[in-house]
C-alpha cells in the first residue's frame, strides 16, 4: 500500500475530498489536496506512472519543489537550485526508466530559471533543453508553452553570445506560436522584433 493508486478516484473523477476513503496511507486532508494539485498539473495521459508511486515519497519530494519556489521568490538562487536538484534526483530514483516524464517539466523549468538568474548560463540552457524535450514529447500541441520555452532558450543563448542558436530558437518560437488557435496573436510581433 502507500501508493497513489488509492487516489485514482479523486484525480480522475474529481470527487469531493469528503468522499475519499482513506487507505492505509493515512493521508491528511492537506496531503490529499497537495496530491490533487500535483496531479492537476500533469496531463491526463501521463498520470498513471505517477499514480503508481508511493504517495508519501512523492509528497516529501514535492515539498523540496515548494521550497525551491520559495527560495526563488527570495532570490536565493543557490538554495532554489539545491532543492530542485534534490527533487529531480529523488524522482529519477523512483522513475529510473522514465526520466523524461512530464512531472519533471516544472522542476527543470524552475531549475533553469534559477541557473539563469545566478548567471550559470550553460546549466540554464541544459535545463531549458530538457524541459523543452519533455514538452515536445508529452504535450506537442501546447504551442503556447512550447513557444515560450523556445523564447527563453533564445534569450539564454543570446546571453551566451551564441547569436546563431538564439536566432534558431527565436524562429522556432515564432513558428510554434503561429500554430496557436488563440485569436490574440500579439505575441508574434514581439518575437519578430527580437529577431
Amino acid at each position: 500500500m502507500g501508493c497513489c493508486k488509492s487516489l485514482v478516484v479523486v484525480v480522475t473523477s474529481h470527487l469531493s475530498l469528503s468522499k475519499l476513503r482513506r487507505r492505509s496511507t493515512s493521508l491528511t486532508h492537506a496531503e490529499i489536496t497537495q496530491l490533487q494539485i500535483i496531479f492537476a498539473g500533469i496531463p491526463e495521459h501521463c498520470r498513471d506512472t505517477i499514480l503508481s508511486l508511493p504517495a508519501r515519497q512523492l509528497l516529501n519530494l514535492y515539498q523540496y519543489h515548494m521550497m525551491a519556489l520559495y527560495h526563488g521568490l527570495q532570490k536565493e538562487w543557490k538554495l532554489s537550485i539545491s532543492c530542485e536538484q534534490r527533487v529531480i534526483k529523488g524522482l529519477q530514483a523512483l522513475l529510473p526508466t522514465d526520466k523524461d516524464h512530464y512531472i519533471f517539466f516544472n522542476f527543470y523549468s524552475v531549475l533553469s530559471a534559477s541557473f539563469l538568474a545566478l548567471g550559470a548560463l550553460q546549466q540554464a540552457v541544459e535545463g531549458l533543453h530538457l524541459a523543452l524535450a519533455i514538452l515536445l514529447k508529452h504535450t506537442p500541441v501546447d504551442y503556447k508553452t512550447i513557444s515560450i520555452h523556445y523564447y527563453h532558450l533564445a534569450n539564454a543563448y543570446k546571453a551566451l553570445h551564441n547569436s546563431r542558436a538564439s536566432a534558431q530558437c527565436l524562429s522556432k518560437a515564432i513558428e510554434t506560436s503561429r500554430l496557436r488557435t488563440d485569436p490574440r496573436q500579439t505575441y508574434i510581433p514581439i518575437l519578430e522584433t527580437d529577431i
Side-chain angles (χ1 to χ4, degrees):
M1 277 290 184
C3 290
C4 298
K5 273 284 192 211
S6 60
L7 299 174
V8 108
V9 175
V10 173
V11 174
T12 58
S13 302
H14 305 292
L15 296 175
S16 70
L17 292 174
S18 61
K19 292 184 181 181
L20 176 67
R21 290 186 184 148
R22 299 254 171 127
R23 305 289 195 244
S24 64
T25 56
S26 302
L27 297 174
T28 66
H29 179 76
E31 290 169 330
I32 292 168
T33 302
Q34 186 66 53
L35 282 170
Q36 286 180 315
I37 291 167
I38 293 168
F39 286 107
I42 299 172
E44 197 170 320
H45 68 277
C46 298
R47 291 181 184 162
D48 283 344
T49 303
I50 304 307
L51 285 169
S52 66
L53 297 178
R56 182 74 54 216
Q57 284 181 281
L58 179 61
L59 286 168
N60 289 343
L61 287 169
Y62 199 77
Q63 290 308 309
Y64 285 100
H65 175 62
M66 299 307 293
M67 289 189 303
L69 294 173
Y70 170 79
H71 290 302
L73 289 173
Q74 302 303 312
K75 299 184 183 194
E76 298 168 332
W77 308 119
K78 289 181 180 179
L79 290 172
S80 180
I81 289 166
S82 176
C83 289
E84 215 61 86
Q85 286 174 328
R86 186 164 182 172
V87 175
I88 292 167
K89 185 177 179 182
L91 273 172
Q92 285 176 337
L94 291 175
L95 299 167
T97 60
D98 210 357
K99 293 181 180 180
D100 63 349
H101 188 279
Y102 187 86
I103 197 168
F104 290 101
F105 167 71
N106 282 329
F107 308 142
Y108 282 121
S109 295
V110 172
L111 182 66
S112 60
S114 298
F115 276 130
L116 195 58
L118 191 62
L121 301 176
Q122 193 56 49
Q123 290 94 329
V125 165
E126 290 169 15
L128 285 166
H129 272 292
L130 289 168
L132 187 58
I134 290 167
L135 279 175
L136 292 170
K137 177 181 179 181
H138 296 287
T139 56
V141 293
D142 185 356
Y143 302 125
K144 180 179 179 181
T145 307
I146 292 168
S147 177
I148 290 168
H149 266 70
Y150 273 122
Y151 180 70
H152 291 314
L153 199 50
N155 285 328
Y157 276 123
K158 187 177 181 179
L160 280 170
H161 306 291
N162 186 339
S163 51
R164 182 178 177 171
S166 179
Q168 287 173 338
C169 289
L170 204 49
S171 293
K172 289 294 276 181
I174 293 168
E175 252 177 65
T176 307
S177 188
R178 285 192 174 126
L179 297 172
R180 291 174 53 195
T181 56
D182 185 354
R184 297 176 299 155
Q185 291 290 342
T186 58
Y187 179 62
I188 294 172
I190 294 168
L191 292 175
E192 289 174 334
T193 59
D194 275 356
I195 273 191

